[in-house]
């Protein structure tokens, strides 16, 4: 079964750049699209990256996604950090039976 | 505008069942599947299952396979999630979300289900 592993937390200063990783446990994450969701406290998640690197309309280009087949991982990079980016971030993909799988989530603190 | 509006909070006893609704508006209901995701207090997101809104095909997480049923009513544009044999660790916020290709692009506001004796 596919498992996705994320760092529990990351922190960075406003204006800086942060990268959140998501590592797959089996197979090739690169052969399954990865989505990223942002969740602020008390709110439903919102999609910030889909199909590895595409941004939904309304998501600023400070958000970018990538994958690395050599490390079986995906990454979410947020540049020019703002305090409003402080949230939990979840990577998500699908297993071989097309069942959804989430990473454990990463708490981003913008100090 | 696309909206998914879920039913209100529920309190259930262990062993009972709960049925949560998710009413869609602002798009053609049968054009998009609906997924259900839950989040226990202070925990991460957990995928429960998916249903195609047109034909009613389903795909459930193995963990919930025997206890969950997803249905839709195309006449009202509403999706339902029924979870049976509730346990205390089923206490969570349950979200419905519209599936657009591979992405959940619109989410309901969430429904808190509390299981307590």
């Amino acid at each position: 079964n596919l498992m996705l592993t994320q760092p529990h937390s990351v922190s960075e200063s406003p204006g800086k750049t942060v990268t959140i990783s998501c590592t797959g446990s089996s197979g090739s994450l690169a052969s399954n699209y990865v989505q990223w969701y942002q969740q602020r406290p008390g709110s439903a998640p919102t999609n910030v990256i889909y199909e590895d690197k595409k941004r939904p309309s309304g998501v600023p280009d400070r958000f970018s996604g990538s994958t690395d087949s050599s490390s079986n991982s995906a990454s979410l990079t947020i540049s020019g950090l703002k305090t409003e980016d402080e949230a939990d971030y979840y990577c998500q993909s699908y297993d071989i039976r097309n069942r959804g799988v989430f990473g454990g989530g990463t708490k981003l603190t913008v100090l | 505008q696309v909206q998914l509006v879920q039913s209100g909070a529920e309190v259930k006893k262990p062993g009972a069942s709960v049925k949560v609704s998710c009413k869609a508006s602002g798009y053609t209901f049968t054009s998009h599947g609906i997924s259900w995701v839950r989040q226990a207090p202070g925990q991460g997101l957990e995928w429960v299952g998916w249903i195609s809104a047109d034909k009613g095909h389903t795909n459930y997480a193995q963990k919930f396979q025997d206890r969950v049923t997803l249905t839709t009513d195309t006449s009202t544009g509403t999706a339902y999630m029924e979870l049976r044999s509730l346990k205390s660790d089923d206490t969570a916020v349950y979200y419905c979300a519209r599936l657009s290709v591979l992405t959940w692009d619109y989410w309901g506001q969430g429904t808190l289900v509390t299981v307590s004796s």
Side-chain angles (χ1 to χ4, degrees), chain A residues 48-101:
Chain A
V48 293
I49 293 290
Y50 67 100
E51 295 179 11
D52 295 344
K53 58 184 179 182
K54 297 179 180 178
R55 274 189 315 276
S57 61
V59 173
D61 60 6
R62 301 186 296 106
F63 289 78
S64 62
S66 63
T67 58
D68 181 351
S69 58
S70 66
S71 59
N72 199 33
S73 66
S75 295
L76 171 69
T77 298
I78 309 170
S79 60
L81 276 169
K82 300 184 176 185
T83 54
E84 68 205 46
D85 299 330
E86 190 162 288
D88 293 327
Y89 291 86
Y90 295 89
C91 61
Q92 176 267 321
S93 189
Y94 294 90
D95 68 12
I96 58 171
R97 291 186 173 89
N98 290 322
R99 296 175 297 203
V101 179

Side-chain angles (χ1 to χ4, degrees), chain B residues 31-58:
Chain B
S31 296
H32 295 267
I34 295 286
S35 286
W36 291 84
V37 174
R38 78 176 188 180
Q39 186 170 38
Q43 303 300 309
L45 302 174
E46 183 174 31
W47 186 77
V48 175
W50 163 87
I51 183 166
S52 67
D54 55 351
K55 291 180 167 50
H57 296 150
T58 56

Side-chain angles (χ1 to χ4, degrees), chain A residues 2-82:
Chain A
L2 175 65
M3 290 180 61
L4 301 176
T5 300
Q6 301 179 232
H8 181 71
S9 63
V10 295
S11 61
E12 191 48 272
S13 303
K16 300 292 190 180
T17 296
V18 70
T19 297
I20 299 171
S21 63
C22 172
T23 303
S25 64
S26 62
S28 173
L29 200 57
S31 65
N32 297 285
Y33 281 124
V34 174
Q35 282 61 241
W36 290 90
Y37 294 87
Q38 176 192 70
Q39 186 181 33
R40 295 191 174 101
S43 296
T46 61
N47 178 237
V48 293
I49 293 290
Y50 67 100
E51 295 179 11
D52 295 344
K53 58 184 179 182
K54 297 179 180 178
R55 274 189 315 276
S57 61
V59 173
D61 60 6
R62 301 186 296 106
F63 289 78
S64 62
S66 63
T67 58
D68 181 351
S69 58
S70 66
S71 59
N72 199 33
S73 66
S75 295
L76 171 69
T77 298
I78 309 170
S79 60
L81 276 169
K82 300 184 176 185

Side-chain angles (χ1 to χ4, degrees), chain B residues 1-2 24-34 53-54 74 77 98-99:
Chain B
Q1 73 283 22
V2 175
S25 62
Y27 72 98
T28 302
F29 180 69
T30 51
S31 296
H32 295 267
I34 295 286
D54 55 351
T74 56
R98 188 183 84 159
L99 185 65

